Amino acid sequence: MLGVALGIGVLLALVGCTATEGCGECQPPTENQERTRMGHRIPLTSPLLPVAPQDMVSQLLQRLEGSVNLEEAANPSVLLAMNLAGGDSEGPIHKWLLQEIKEEAVRRAQKDMTSGQVALHVLALLSSCQDPQRVHALEQTLDLIRVLQQKTDEEMAKLEAEGIPKTTLYSVGLDTLALCLAEAGGAQGPSVALAKQVLSPESHISVDTQAMVALALACVYNYVELQDVQDLLWEALWTVSNSFLDEQEKGNGMIGNIYSMGLALQALEATRKFYAPRKWDCAQAFSVVYAHDYQQPMAIAQVLPALVGRSYLDVAGLDCAATKNMSPGRQLPLSPMLGTHGIPRGTPIPPGVAQTPQG
């Protein structure tokens, strides 16, 4: 059982953090690293960080792979987490998931998928080094980005007209993140609306939604050029990240509940410069996660990236040049082997730093 024995002492030994240091200070990122991805130059900030013990990561990867049911629809969140956590990209389960996700997108994206479901499929494909603008399956080719943009426009139209989106703010955050990471050009409008929702005193937004919105806004901030939009996004990111740090202090490491921790840790990792110079006691937060025995696939899928020092923002920085032929294999062994290799970690470096809003 995963418990306190894999807790704070192991984290400190592996990463070298003190109880008062932020995790980012333990292994500072290198500067100006770049990798080519689908014709674009992607800045990388650092290699994969050894945040959690490898045996813990491997066990959670095994549980995630073991949760895959060949009789059910493939879960894009599972494939996304496997890719970010360095799972075996040549394994049969990985190949089956990828092919099923392509086929599901071609069959259902335009018909009955929500915007958030489409966004998750986009993120899963990006993390698998696939082009979501050309999804080929079932003898068809689909532009999944165009579908996502249409569904995001529907969300925004209802949000502007009625004050609530067609589905949820969490979905709109996913949509915005996927559009941004795919460099589709349609993320700025939704990011402004999301930032205003976060800053509204009447909004009562869950930790999970705030975390997803923060990841989306952090991505858009790196590309936006208008100073007033930059300032708005900075203020929203400053607000969310500091509220998480406040809640962690009050909750002895807990942010929301144990199932919120995965996305909350991802958000705090991705927004460090927005709450600087304040320090994040990452050791305290990770000790809470280490003390819990995660069993639910979605909870594992959200916490795994954080355990290897990554967030969903790193989807665009994975090493596509190293990816081999991803054609699906349908013959699955009873006990698939897990890979243990690491892949470079990367988040975009902002083009400029806006002045931190006060308050």
Side-chain angles (χ1 to χ4, degrees):
M1 180 176 178
L2 297 176
V4 180
L6 291 177
I8 190 70
V10 179
L11 175 66
L12 300 185
L14 285 175
V15 190
C17 291
T18 69
T20 57
E21 282 182 326
C23 288
E25 292 181 58
C26 305
Q27 185 171 334
T30 57
E31 296 180 357
N32 300 322
Q33 293 178 303
E34 289 186 322
R35 187 172 300 282
T36 301
R37 181 184 179 281
M38 290 168 56
H40 299 290
R41 301 296 291 174
I42 305 295
L44 302 180
T45 55
S46 78
L48 191 68
L49 295 180
V51 175
Q54 182 60 48
D55 58 349
M56 180 179 188
V57 172
S58 295
Q59 183 171 2
L60 290 178
L61 269 171
Q62 287 176 328
R63 288 182 184 177
L64 201 57
E65 286 201 355
S67 74
V68 175
N69 185 339
L70 306 187
E71 303 301 318
E72 298 177 354
N75 186 341
S77 295
V78 169
L79 181 61
L80 175 59
M82 287 170 58
N83 288 333
L84 287 171
D88 184 6
S89 63
E90 290 300 303
I93 287 185
H94 185 286
K95 291 178 179 179
W96 181 86
L97 282 169
L98 178 57
Q99 186 63 22
E100 287 295 310
I101 283 166
K102 287 181 179 180
E103 292 181 7
E104 191 77 354
V106 168
R107 277 194 301 262
R108 295 185 50 227
Q110 294 173 293
K111 298 176 183 177
D112 58 354
M113 275 191 187
T114 66
S115 67
Q117 289 172 329
V118 175
L120 276 173
H121 279 67
V122 168
L123 292 175
L125 290 169
L126 285 172
S127 71
S128 302
C129 301
Q130 303 286 317
D131 185 356
Q133 290 185 292
R134 287 180 286 276
V135 181
H136 186 70
L138 305 175
E139 299 183 346
Q140 300 177 54
T141 301
L142 174 69
D143 183 348
L144 198 56
I145 297 300
R146 180 180 59 81
V147 177
L148 177 58
Q149 187 65 70
Q150 290 173 345
K151 290 182 180 286
T152 304
D153 290 345
E154 293 172 5
E155 298 274 13
M156 293 305 301
K158 191 163 190 291
L159 181 60
E160 291 169 2
E162 303 178 23
I164 56 172
K166 185 176 179 179
T167 57
T168 64
L169 287 175
Y170 183 93
S171 288
V172 178
L174 262 175
D175 303 342
T176 306
L177 177 62
L179 288 171
C180 177
L181 290 174
E183 300 182 5
Q188 181 170 306
S191 74
V192 169
L194 288 169
K196 290 179 178 177
Q197 288 285 327
V198 165
L199 293 170
S200 170
E202 284 127 26
S203 293
H204 301 285
I205 306 175
S206 70
V207 167
D208 296 76
T209 298
Q210 289 185 69
M212 184 57 68
V213 167
L215 289 168
L217 300 189
C219 181
V220 176
Y221 180 88
N222 293 325
Y223 297 102
V224 72
E225 296 180 355
L226 296 174
Q227 187 65 48
D228 58 341
V229 176
Q230 256 196 355
D231 290 345
L232 175 66
L233 299 186
W234 184 292
E235 184 178 2
L237 286 161
W238 184 93
T239 300
V240 171
S241 58
N242 275 282
S243 72
F244 282 5
L245 294 178
D246 291 343
E247 187 162 348
Q248 178 181 320
E249 289 178 3
K250 294 175 185 175
N252 294 317
M254 185 74 76
I255 305 169
N257 59 52
I258 193 62
Y259 299 108
S260 307
M261 288 295 289
L263 288 177
L265 295 182
Q266 286 193 46
L268 285 172
E269 166 65 21
T271 60
R272 286 178 298 184
K273 72 191 183 79
F274 298 99
Y275 55 80
R278 187 175 181 180
K279 305 301 181 185
W280 173 30
D281 185 357
C282 62
Q284 181 193 46
F286 274 92
S287 70
V288 171
V289 170
Y290 288 1
H292 185 74
D293 187 25
Y294 284 94
Q295 299 285 343
Q296 296 181 8
M298 278 304 300
I300 294 173
Q302 291 177 346
V303 80
L304 257 179
L307 292 177
V308 295
R310 284 185 169 147
S311 75
Y312 288 161
L313 285 182
D314 293 297
V315 162
L318 300 182
D319 187 0
C320 291
T323 301
K324 300 177 182 178
N325 184 5
M326 306 289 275
S327 60
R330 297 285 180 166
Q331 301 298 319
L332 299 182
L334 294 177
S335 300
M337 296 298 293
L338 289 172
T340 57
H341 61 280
I343 30 186
R345 162 185 176 272
T347 50
I349 297 173
V353 177
Q355 183 177 357
T356 308
Q358 299 299 313

